[in-house]
Amino acid sequence: MATDPSKYKLNHSMIRVKDPKRSVQFYEFLGLKLINKLPNPDAKFDLYFLAYDSPRAVSHGAHWTDREGIVELTHNYGTENDPDYKIANGNTDPRGFGHLCISVDNIQAACKRIEDAGYKFQKKLTDGKMRHIAFALDPDGYWVEVVGQKPLEETERVKETDPETYRLNHTMIRVKDAEASLNFYKEVMGMKLKRTHESKNGGFNLYFLGYGDDSEISAEGVSPTAGQEGLLELTWNYGTEKDPNFKYHDGNAEPQGFGHICVSVDDLDAACARFEDKKVNWKKRLTDGRMKNIAFVLADPDGYWIEVVQNEKLKTRANW
């Protein structure tokens, strides 16, 4: 039994939502499509999986486990009717998760379309010094970064935008120790470091990791990885690794919000055996509990959860 990490995919990122109707509507407005729903009435929660699925999408028509760039919305029954229920978006204390990011064909037109629909922004294109990125707010206050697939000067005179060309580009999480986290995601999870952005004046570095061939990287966009899906962005603020009392919030302790990222693998049993050999910390082994088709690794040193599932295109295991 063998497993090949080069066949893994960063399948999805899970966030909890208060009202699934409002959240699904928002992400569908961004061009994503509801490709799967897993109701769990006995446990009183439902899962909604959204991804770009137009004929021009990267994974058009693929099984949901054979994709990258999915957002999973988790709805616990009753939260939509609870006036006191509020999501922790990860950008106010306690911090940890940062944002999802979509890359678009025309960032000026895309942002105008979002604003015209009545959605709010944490940062508009015209705010601050960074005029090439914006941050929209979803109904729960999660940040959704918007970046362009082309330089600003190529799109500033164009008034149209086509959501069928968008990508769910990356998920950002903050990490305490960049060296430790990079080692974990590369050596244990089998990801490749695609791009590094150093901001010495800002006191932080950004690291973009993912699976797949490096030839997929485009040099045409504002970001050389803007045309991809399923990337993980690690944000490291200088000095946090030296503070023994510093800790990021994993999103699963109260107050809850972000839940996990998920990696789909070529052979679930073999992959979990490999993780065992790597001496990972587990939140849930395959053999734990009733659900024998998923496992959860704990990402050292920050404690983020990483779900592991079978890529059903490569090997049939579960009847999702």
Side-chain angles (χ1 to χ4, degrees):
M1 209 167 38
T3 183
D4 180 0
S6 70
K7 296 180 180 178
Y8 296 2
K9 293 179 181 288
L10 184 49
N11 178 250
H12 70 255
S13 298
M14 185 276 265
I15 55 175
R16 296 173 178 88
V17 299
K18 177 182 175 81
D19 185 337
K21 290 183 179 178
R22 292 181 65 208
S23 295
V24 168
Q25 182 182 44
F26 171 80
Y27 287 101
E28 286 184 335
F29 180 79
L30 295 185
L32 291 99
K33 178 183 177 183
L34 184 65
I35 60 168
N36 194 30
K37 179 181 177 181
L38 296 177
N40 291 275
D42 293 343
K44 297 184 178 180
F45 70 89
D46 292 339
L47 309 178
Y48 300 79
F49 296 84
L50 295 103
Y52 287 106
D53 196 44
S54 78
R56 284 179 284 178
V58 176
S59 302
H60 170 63
H63 189 274
W64 74 269
T65 60
D66 188 41
R67 293 173 179 257
E68 296 186 300
I70 297 176
V71 58
E72 174 190 350
L73 308 180
T74 293
H75 170 236
N76 294 294
Y77 294 179
T79 55
E80 70 278 19
N81 300 317
D82 182 353
D84 298 322
Y85 183 82
K86 187 178 180 180
I87 292 293
N89 72 5
N91 292 300
T92 57
D93 290 333
R95 297 199 308 163
F97 169 72
H99 59 258
L100 302 173
C101 175
I102 62 170
S103 65
V104 301
D105 57 346
N106 183 331
I107 192 168
Q108 296 97 329
C111 288
K112 184 178 186 305
R113 178 177 176 269
I114 295 170
E115 187 173 6
D116 288 349
Y119 293 113
K120 296 180 180 179
F121 281 78
Q122 177 67 28
K123 177 200 176 300
K124 296 182 179 180
L125 279 179
T126 52
D127 296 339
K129 295 181 180 179
M130 301 178 71
R131 300 302 175 94
H132 61 286
I133 61 172
F135 286 90
L137 293 173
D138 90 343
D140 290 295
Y142 290 114
W143 295 14
V144 179
E145 184 179 12
V146 185
V147 300
Q149 297 169 4
K150 297 178 181 179
L152 290 173
E153 56 270 20
E154 289 187 20
T155 57
E156 60 185 351
R157 297 182 185 86
V158 181
K159 304 301 182 183
E160 292 80 29
T161 182
D162 183 359
E164 290 194 353
T165 66
Y166 295 2
R167 305 279 187 260
L168 189 53
N169 180 248
H170 69 256
T171 297
M172 186 277 265
I173 56 175
R174 298 174 177 91
V175 297
K176 174 177 179 173
D177 186 326
E179 184 177 354
S181 293
L182 284 170
N183 182 68
F184 172 82
Y185 284 104
K186 290 192 294 183
E187 299 302 321
V188 177
M189 299 310 300
M191 294 182 181
K192 298 177 182 178
L193 180 61
K194 302 278 189 174
R195 181 167 72 90
T196 299
H197 173 77
E198 295 186 359
S199 181
K200 293 182 179 179
N201 290 336
F204 65 90
N205 288 357
L206 309 177
Y207 305 93
F208 294 83
L209 300 105
Y211 297 105
D213 193 328
D214 289 343
S215 64
E216 295 174 11
I217 296 178
S218 167
E220 297 177 359
V222 173
S223 160
T225 52
Q228 289 191 266
E229 289 190 324
L231 297 177
L232 179 67
E233 176 188 352
L234 306 181
T235 293
W236 170 56
N237 292 293
Y238 299 171
T240 52
E241 76 284 4
K242 298 175 183 177
D243 183 350
N245 298 316
F246 187 88
K247 185 178 182 182
Y248 281 120
H249 183 61
D250 65 7
N252 292 301
E254 295 292 344
Q256 293 184 319
F258 167 74
H260 60 260
I261 61 171
C262 174
V263 173
S264 66
V265 298
D266 54 349
D267 187 300
L268 184 56
D269 293 288
C272 287
R274 177 180 173 274
F275 294 142
E276 193 76 52
D277 289 343
K278 296 283 186 180
K279 311 225 181 286
V280 303
N281 294 317
W282 294 95
K283 180 65 182 178
K284 178 199 176 300
R285 288 182 166 86
L286 270 181
T287 52
D288 295 340
R290 295 181 179 180
M291 302 178 71
K292 306 300 184 183
N293 295 315
I294 62 172
F296 281 92
V297 173
L298 286 179
D300 185 64
D302 295 288
Y304 294 111
W305 297 12
I306 303 175
E307 184 179 15
V308 188
V309 300
Q310 175 66 49
N311 183 329
E312 296 289 325
K313 179 184 177 183
L314 301 180
K315 183 178 181 180
T316 302
R317 181 187 180 97
N319 183 25
W320 295 107

